[in-house]
Amino acid sequence: MDAYETLNDVLVHLFRDITNLEEKAIVTSEFSDITNNDMHVIQAIGMEEPKNMSTIAKELSVTVGTLTIAMNSLVKKGYVTRERGREDRRVVYISLSEKGQCAYRNHENFHRQMIEAALDGLSPEETEVLTKTLMKLDQWLREF
């Protein structure tokens, strides 16, 4: 198998396997009511300061209307809280509830384990080459 075939095979399998494993890591008995899509919204909200809907929608590359549907579900499930802006009541700020923060940390742990496994045994030089390669691929995918 040449480099093209090997890379193509690896990338196709990686995408599928990461998606499947991520779903299994997310849907635990504690978080059985959320989907991968819900988790991506939770990840975009993050653990920092509350964000407005436009900021989150932009990060996820979806419309505010589409995000509102997902947000309604996450609020109902208890993962997210909404709060109107004090200065401008039209602005809605979103933050994670305690339950949402637990789901966020669970998801972060999955990612940490995945990265540690990828870097295990690599030299600093190999890590740098891998990082540059994946950043180049990421840039191409975003521009495509």
Side-chain angles (χ1 to χ4, degrees), residues 14-142:
L14 275 174
F15 178 78
R16 184 194 65 221
D17 292 346
I18 289 171
T19 302
N20 289 339
L21 286 173
E22 189 172 42
E23 190 169 321
K24 288 176 186 172
I26 290 168
V27 183
T28 63
S29 59
E30 186 178 3
F31 307 114
S32 61
D33 59 345
I34 59 174
T35 65
N36 252 356
N37 188 51
D38 289 337
M39 195 61 238
H40 290 134
V41 175
I42 289 169
Q43 192 77 25
I45 295 167
M47 301 278 280
E48 306 298 321
E49 295 294 316
K51 294 180 180 177
N52 65 39
M53 292 284 285
S54 298
T55 301
I56 299 166
K58 184 177 179 182
E59 186 172 331
L60 293 169
S61 300
V62 298
T63 66
V64 173
T66 298
L67 180 61
T68 299
I69 294 167
M71 209 57 74
N72 289 342
S73 174
L74 287 169
V75 168
K76 186 176 180 181
K77 294 173 186 178
Y79 289 92
V80 171
T81 59
R82 288 182 172 124
E83 187 177 328
R84 293 258 175 214
R86 289 192 177 106
E87 294 176 17
D88 185 346
R89 304 275 304 149
R90 295 172 297 177
V91 179
V92 177
Y93 290 97
I94 307 298
S95 57
L96 297 178
S97 65
E98 188 174 323
K99 184 177 181 182
Q101 290 175 12
C102 288
Y104 180 95
R105 284 190 292 273
N106 182 57
H107 188 245
E108 280 292 301
N109 187 47
F110 167 77
H111 281 261
R112 187 179 310 94
Q113 290 176 4
M114 180 175 60
I115 299 305
E116 287 173 0
L119 297 179
D120 186 41
L122 295 184
S123 69
E125 294 80 17
E126 290 169 322
T127 299
E128 185 178 339
V129 169
L130 177 61
T131 302
K132 284 182 179 179
T133 302
L134 292 176
M135 287 173 62
K136 185 176 178 182
L137 177 60
D138 180 54
Q139 181 181 353
W140 183 84
L141 290 168
R142 289 173 191 264

